[in-house]
Amino acid sequence: MQKKTAYSFPDEILEHVFSFIQSDKDRNAASVVCKSWYEIERWCRRKVFVGNCYAVSPTMVIRRFPDIRSIELKGKPHFADFNLVPDGWGGYVLPWISKMAGAYPWLEEIRLKRMVVTDESLELVAKSFTNLQVLVLFSCEGFSTDGLAAIAAGCKNLRELDLRDSEVDDLSGHWLNHFPDTYTSLVSLNISCLGSDDVSFSALERLVGRCPNLRRLLLNREVPLDKIANLLSRAPQLIEFGTGTYAAELRSDVYSNLVEAFCNCKELKSLSGFWDAVPAYLPVIYSVCSRLTSLNLSYAPIQNPDLTKLVSQCPSLQRMLVLDYIEDSGLEVLASSCKDLQELRVFPSDPFGEEPNVSLTEKGLVAVSSGCPKLQSVLYFCRQMSNAALVTIAQNCPNFTRFRLCLLDPKIADYRTLQPLDVGFGAIVEHCKDLRRLSLSGLLTDCVFEYIGMHAKKLEMLSVAFAGESDLALHHVLSGCESLRKLEIMNCPFGDKALLANAAKLETMRSLWMSSCSVSLGACKMLGQKMPRLNIEVMDEKGPPDSRAESDPVDKLYIYRSVAGPRFDMPPFVWTMDEDFASELS
Amino acid sequence: MGSTSTKIKLRTSDQKVFEVEKAVAVQSQTIKYIYENGCPDSVIHVHSVSGDILSKILDYCKKHVNSAAGKEDISPEELYEWDANFVKVDQNTLFDLILAANCLKIESLLDLTCQTVANMIKGKRPEEIRTTFNIKNDYTIEAEEAVRRENKWAFDMLGGVGTMVIEELADDTMSKCVTNAKSRVCVIAANQIVMMRSISKLANKKSIDVYKQPQNPTTPRIKESVKQINVGTGFIELFFHFKCKM
């Protein structure tokens, strides 16, 4: 019997079918099926994710998707987190907001990461998007509390305001007062990044008190411990809470108020904050511990045995962020108590000290890998590692999706055999077939890159520093890692050959960052001519590239694919190596 | 004198006549309108629906009416299973059901059948979708390549789901989840954007059947296909995004 075709469906039915398809991947696939599907799909897509704000222009997005309600944009490359991207590089959101203001009056959600957001942008947001419900500014900068005041005053339907890790200029303290008294719809508020005097505490208390749906509240450091109990008592329905400073003189009234307040938060599952935490006040959260799925103590200088005691009371933990004060012994306790653990991050308490101040070694990670069968995501700072340990870890946890190891001495060898750590990381990529993100460190030769190219078929993001010996290493990665999308490299002896040989690969990736490597200016120009659809940005604060020889290595190189062509908002120290570059100079 | 169960007569495109209880027939808003605004005694013509299809549709309506009225002892989970089996038909029949549900304005059936078609699209590459639905590719090579390029270069997400969606939202949504440990069924309120970490906590399994509860409590629930995604934070997270009626 001949198959009927969905082609004959009226558009409204196809649109109804598409309303059950939400993932970008599926929608993208549907848009390629035929021209009419493309048309119907683009009119009913409501959510857009743009992984690199320079890969497409706002005009192009608006032209294709006329009715978007939710947008997510990412700006600067990841290494901006380590201050490797000079100020003024770009990532401005204003052009996007300006264009969207006219096109998307019903926009509900804006999520930005590593973008430059100005007060002007925020004012425009508040004015243009009356139905805005979600504003997330993750690692953004360029705005002040004046911009926040505009948002507070103008966005009557705001549910979520998250300023995670952003840099905010504190001008006046009272932006919270700009939320009108009639405003009650807050569900999530993250102001943990704000500096002193930014938050009017009484305004915060009133805001919390009148928002019955508030579920997530992450305070900033300046909120003192003795104010927490009062705040919590107004919001016993919280699921996630971040304290301010967690230090104060031990006072029995403050203590018992806190105990009661935490006790009444029956739904609390996630705690963070704990700046400068003192052990005396830790027990107040004991009533919550058995329910906790997420605990962030990365700002808490708590040491063992208090730290271990706390951890042992949290059997439901899935996500743990902690300083290396936990030591191997604490991690062993974690391994035996927290069988649901999925994510572990251990940060260094004294990264620049010459001698280790704590006893945190590879043994702790081995213990967790052995005791926690659901472990999937690791970020681990430590001072020593061995191939044997890495092999054991890999065998224990074949389900890793993210593995980031940061040895504080970047070129340190296996401390037992004095060999490079190639074999250890090789085991990680070989056993962990679903690995999507990997950060390498330690003494590493070209070998490890050969293993990565051979085994890491699902790897999407790779971060490398001070590793490898030659271009062959880079070639292994570029030619072998089929799923690679983001590659960031610093201080590695990689030059022109691998890059030019794998030029086509760069069009299959979102971006490549190379700094303090050996890529020559000449190679960048050649790449620019050969691959016109890539934006090849050379950054050099010392002066224009033409003042140096072709063979001189460039300081920083950022390459990304784009359908929008070269950008025109570059600062003086960024040059694009497009086809015209060579002729511009002559 | 009217009997306790009024009957309505329906005539299909192939001249078959069905006599059905009014409560069942008026699941169709179209029939309801015609019945209430026309002559109640005459036969209602459903021109665009064949006898076979109407028969199946009436089975559906009857099942759902009886279940809602308590006439049939069937649990919500069993009704979902019944719905799931109902749409296990060949593609032609499925499409006929969609067109009929659309024309007869039976919202829950339209949702059910459209969801089924959506499930046939998800996870497939464009070539596979074309084959499944026998659709001719009318793109030129250049045009198709341009769309593919824009999709991948501009709108491509690593890992499947963004990392900035709130990690654990409304616990009241969680409390609306009714879990039946035996059948691993979970019911979530409609129009909720829910991102639940560790749904393994609920069901301790990697896959779970999820049903969306529409806002009208008498409307039967729709089974939502579950996506299992490893998100950037490294969790196994099940991301449910239900259709928001705009």
Side-chain angles (χ1 to χ4, degrees):
Chain A
M1 174 150 78
Q2 171 135 75
K3 261 196 204 172
K4 285 213 185 123
T5 164
Y7 200 83
S8 54
F9 278 163
D11 287 358
E12 81 222 28
I13 291 191
L14 210 43
E15 191 177 323
H16 198 75
V17 170
F18 286 159
S19 71
F20 293 99
I21 301 175
Q22 296 301 335
S23 92
D24 288 2
K25 197 156 181 232
D26 290 330
R27 279 194 165 253
N28 286 347
S31 70
V32 178
V33 167
C34 65
K35 291 202 265 197
S36 64
W37 278 41
Y38 176 91
E39 274 305 300
I40 296 166
E41 193 282 316
R42 77 182 187 90
W43 279 95
C44 65
R45 192 180 300 210
R46 299 282 175 256
K47 201 162 180 272
V48 160
F49 170 85
V50 176
N52 175 1
C53 66
Y54 290 118
V56 66
S57 74
T59 308
M60 292 166 98
V61 175
I62 292 168
R63 189 167 54 213
R64 177 161 172 193
F65 301 119
D67 192 5
I68 293 296
R69 307 295 168 95
S70 166
I71 187 154
E72 187 173 326
L73 293 170
K74 293 191 179 179
K76 299 186 202 175
H78 172 240
F79 271 0
D81 289 353
F82 310 115
N83 293 325
L84 286 174
V85 178
D87 276 344
W89 171 83
Y92 306 106
V93 82
L94 186 58
W96 287 85
I97 304 290
S98 310
K99 291 256 158 63
M100 292 193 302
Y104 299 146
W106 306 117
L107 195 63
E108 293 171 1
E109 304 181 353
I110 298 175
R111 295 182 170 89
L112 308 174
K113 188 168 183 181
R114 288 193 203 98
M115 293 198 78
V116 177
V117 179
T118 56
D119 285 346
E120 187 189 348
S121 311
L122 291 177
E123 281 153 24
L124 192 53
V125 165
K127 198 171 69 164
S128 318
F129 307 121
T130 50
N131 202 27
L132 193 72
Q133 296 170 29
V134 172
L135 181 62
V136 176
L137 304 175
F138 190 162
S139 290
C140 295
E141 55 167 2
F143 61 103
S144 77
T145 44
D146 284 355
L148 295 178
I151 296 290
C155 300
K156 315 237 174 322
N157 293 314
L158 197 66
R159 270 187 357 239
E160 182 179 338
L161 178 62
D162 189 334
L163 307 174
R164 200 190 298 199
D165 291 338
S166 290
E167 272 178 48
V168 186
D169 285 336
D170 44 61
L171 297 181
S172 95
H174 303 286
W175 65 275
L176 275 175
N177 285 321
H178 289 257
F179 281 110
D181 289 337
T182 47
Y183 170 76
T184 58
S185 46
L186 197 61
V187 173
S188 165
L189 180 66
N190 179 355
I191 51 173
S192 53
C193 62
L194 293 184
S196 58
D197 295 332
D198 269 347
V199 174
S200 156
F201 194 73
S202 54
L204 178 63
E205 270 188 328
R206 285 197 310 274
L207 181 63
V208 169
R210 66 177 185 273
C211 294
N213 294 323
L214 189 66
R215 295 301 190 160
R216 190 167 174 261
L217 178 63
L218 273 53
L219 302 172
N220 61 326
R221 193 174 188 161
E222 274 57 40
V223 177
L225 190 53
D226 56 6
K227 301 275 198 192
I228 300 285
N230 215 341
L231 209 52
L232 280 179
S233 65
R234 288 167 200 244
Q237 74 281 3
L238 283 178
I239 299 178
E240 188 176 340
F241 180 62
T243 74
T245 299
Y246 206 76
E249 263 179 44
L250 187 54
R251 277 170 47 189
S252 59
D253 55 339
V254 172
Y255 187 96
S256 55
N257 286 342
L258 279 168
V259 169
E260 191 182 339
F262 275 105
C263 211
N264 285 333
C265 293
K266 303 284 185 210
E267 302 187 67
L268 207 49
K269 296 245 181 60
S270 170
L271 285 177
S272 59
F274 296 108
W275 277 281
D276 311 316
V278 295
Y281 277 107
L282 279 187
V284 310
I285 63 168
Y286 282 176
S287 61
V288 181
C289 283
S290 61
R291 263 182 270 123
L292 279 184
T293 57
S294 171
L295 182 58
N296 184 349
L297 296 170
S298 53
Y299 297 108
I302 306 271
Q303 306 194 22
N304 294 333
D306 301 298
L307 185 50
T308 314
K309 180 159 185 218
L310 179 58
V311 163
S312 64
Q313 303 197 47
C314 304
S316 310
L317 268 190
Q318 294 165 22
R319 187 168 184 256
M320 176 82 187
L321 282 69
V322 72
L323 287 170
D324 56 8
Y325 290 127
I326 195 164
E327 298 191 322
D328 292 336
S329 55
L331 287 176
E332 274 156 36
V333 172
L334 183 71
S336 60
S337 314
C338 306
K339 295 304 182 185
D340 284 343
L341 195 71
Q342 298 177 25
E343 180 179 352
L344 174 68
R345 296 192 190 204
V346 180
F347 296 100
S349 54
D350 182 20
F352 305 113
E354 299 239 329
E355 294 298 316
N357 60 328
V358 292
S359 175
L360 179 90
T361 68
E362 81 284 5
K363 299 187 184 59
L365 187 55
V366 172
V368 178
S369 74
S370 161
C372 303
K374 298 183 187 172
L375 192 64
Q376 278 203 316
S377 172
V378 167
L379 170 60
Y380 198 76
F381 285 83
C382 64
R383 288 174 188 267
Q384 71 183 38
M385 188 50 63
S386 68
N387 282 311
L390 282 172
V391 171
T392 306
I393 291 165
Q395 288 168 340
N396 287 341
C397 293
N399 292 326
F400 272 159
T401 53
R402 305 171 114 223
F403 187 75
R404 296 195 278 166
L405 179 65
C406 302
L407 294 165
L408 291 176
D409 176 355
K411 284 196 176 176
I412 197 167
D414 177 329
Y415 77 100
R416 287 166 58 180
T417 64
L418 300 181
Q419 292 296 301
L421 290 172
D422 299 333
V423 168
F425 279 105
I428 295 279
V429 292
E430 193 184 337
H431 289 273
C432 306
K433 307 232 183 284
D434 290 327
L435 195 69
R436 288 202 333 270
R437 186 168 176 184
L438 177 65
S439 294
L440 304 172
S441 60
L443 184 65
L444 296 163
T445 70
D446 287 350
C447 271
V448 71
F449 296 98
E450 194 181 343
Y451 298 144
I452 291 172
M454 208 183 331
H455 294 288
K457 295 305 180 187
K458 296 239 180 100
L459 192 67
E460 293 177 340
M461 183 170 176
L462 178 63
S463 309
V464 184
F466 297 102
E469 300 159 306
S470 75
D471 263 31
L472 202 49
L474 181 56
H475 176 72
H476 284 309
V477 169
L478 289 178
S479 56
C481 297
E482 294 159 4
S483 309
L484 193 65
R485 302 288 186 68
K486 291 198 275 188
L487 179 56
E488 44 186 30
I489 302 171
M490 57 179 258
N491 296 84
C492 295
F494 302 152
D496 303 341
K497 281 207 320 241
L499 207 50
L500 290 171
N502 291 284
K505 172 78 175 173
L506 298 175
E507 278 193 350
T508 69
M509 291 165 52
R510 189 186 288 172
S511 65
L512 167 66
W513 169 281
M514 290 178 77
S515 56
S516 305
C517 297
S518 315
V519 181
S520 73
L521 178 64
C524 294
K525 285 194 207 166
M526 249 201 291
L527 208 51
Q529 290 187 316
K530 198 170 159 186
M531 310 290 298
R533 295 188 298 214
L534 294 177
N535 281 0
I536 302 184
E537 295 187 8
V538 168
M539 283 175 239
D540 204 324
E541 288 173 287
K542 294 195 294 285
D546 56 327
S547 63
R548 269 167 284 115
E550 296 268 302
S551 54
D552 275 357
V554 299
D555 183 23
K556 293 173 182 161
L557 177 60
Y558 184 48
I559 300 176
Y560 55 91
R561 61 189 178 183
S562 174
V563 293
R567 62 178 176 121
F568 299 106
D569 61 354
M570 293 168 305
F573 55 82
V574 176
W575 289 268
T576 20
M577 304 284 118
D578 54 22
E579 301 155 290
D580 302 327
F581 180 77
S583 51
E584 268 171 50
L585 300 175
S586 48
Chain B
M1 187 166 79
S3 58
T4 47
S5 65
T6 324
K7 301 254 193 229
I8 296 181
K9 286 204 184 113
L10 305 171
R11 176 176 287 134
T12 64
S13 58
D14 47 352
Q15 305 307 314
K16 298 211 175 75
V17 177
F18 292 80
E19 198 171 4
V20 279
E21 284 183 22
K22 176 184 159 207
V24 172
V26 298
Q27 294 286 293
S28 155
Q29 296 298 305
T30 309
I31 293 176
K32 182 169 193 264
Y33 181 82
I34 295 174
Y35 179 77
E36 287 172 354
N37 291 289
C39 180
D41 291 333
S42 65
V43 176
I44 295 178
H45 294 261
V46 282
H47 298 290
S48 44
V49 186
S50 71
D52 287 342
I53 295 298
L54 186 64
S55 169
K56 282 190 78 67
I57 289 182
L58 292 174
D59 280 346
Y60 175 90
C61 293
K62 190 166 181 191
K63 191 79 175 177
H64 282 258
V65 163
N66 287 347
S67 143
K71 275 192 207 168
E72 205 177 307
D73 182 22
I74 175 171
S75 70
E77 292 76 26
E78 286 165 332
L79 192 58
Y80 311 150
E81 296 294 323
W82 191 92
D83 279 355
N85 283 324
F86 180 80
V87 285
K88 279 186 187 148
V89 291
D90 66 85
Q91 200 168 303
N92 283 345
T93 309
L94 181 63
F95 291 171
D96 284 338
L97 284 171
I98 291 185
L99 291 168
N102 185 44
C103 148
L104 293 173
K105 293 199 184 14
I106 306 172
E107 188 186 319
S108 64
L109 180 59
L110 186 61
D111 279 351
L112 175 64
T113 46
C114 284
Q115 170 76 83
T116 308
V117 174
N119 291 345
M120 291 160 73
I121 294 173
K122 288 184 195 182
K124 287 199 165 83
R125 293 191 311 270
E127 311 77 52
E128 293 168 328
I129 300 173
R130 289 185 199 125
T131 309
T132 305
F133 298 104
N134 195 23
I135 296 176
K136 180 165 148 42
N137 179 5
D138 57 354
Y139 276 113
T140 63
I141 296 180
E142 297 81 20
E144 181 177 332
E145 202 191 300
V147 175
R148 282 183 188 263
R149 189 179 319 127
E150 190 176 86
N151 285 345
K152 273 205 98 55
W153 293 20
F155 306 118
D156 198 22
M157 196 184 273
L158 270 53
V161 173
T163 55
M164 284 194 277
V165 183
I166 192 170
E167 282 148 359
E168 197 158 321
L169 196 56
D171 203 48
D172 58 351
T173 314
M174 286 281 279
S175 63
K176 281 174 194 155
C177 291
V178 167
T179 52
N180 179 324
K182 216 169 51 167
S183 59
R184 296 181 296 121
V185 157
C186 176
V187 178
I188 297 181
N191 296 338
Q192 293 288 332
I193 298 172
V194 176
M195 178 119 150
M196 284 192 282
R197 286 175 159 208
S198 70
I199 199 145
S200 56
K201 243 192 126 57
L202 278 177
N204 207 33
K205 299 257 194 279
K206 280 204 170 195
S207 71
I208 190 172
D209 294 336
V210 173
Y211 291 85
K212 171 183 94 166
Q213 172 64 61
Q215 299 205 308
N216 179 350
T218 61
T219 312
R221 297 168 203 169
I222 308 294
K223 184 166 176 182
E224 170 76 13
S225 84
V226 164
K227 287 205 83 155
Q228 207 174 57
I229 304 152
N230 289 327
V231 178
T233 54
F235 279 75
I236 293 177
E237 286 172 66
L238 302 175
F239 179 57
F240 313 105
H241 191 146
F242 297 98
K243 175 184 140 191
C244 292
K245 296 207 193 261
M246 293 177 223

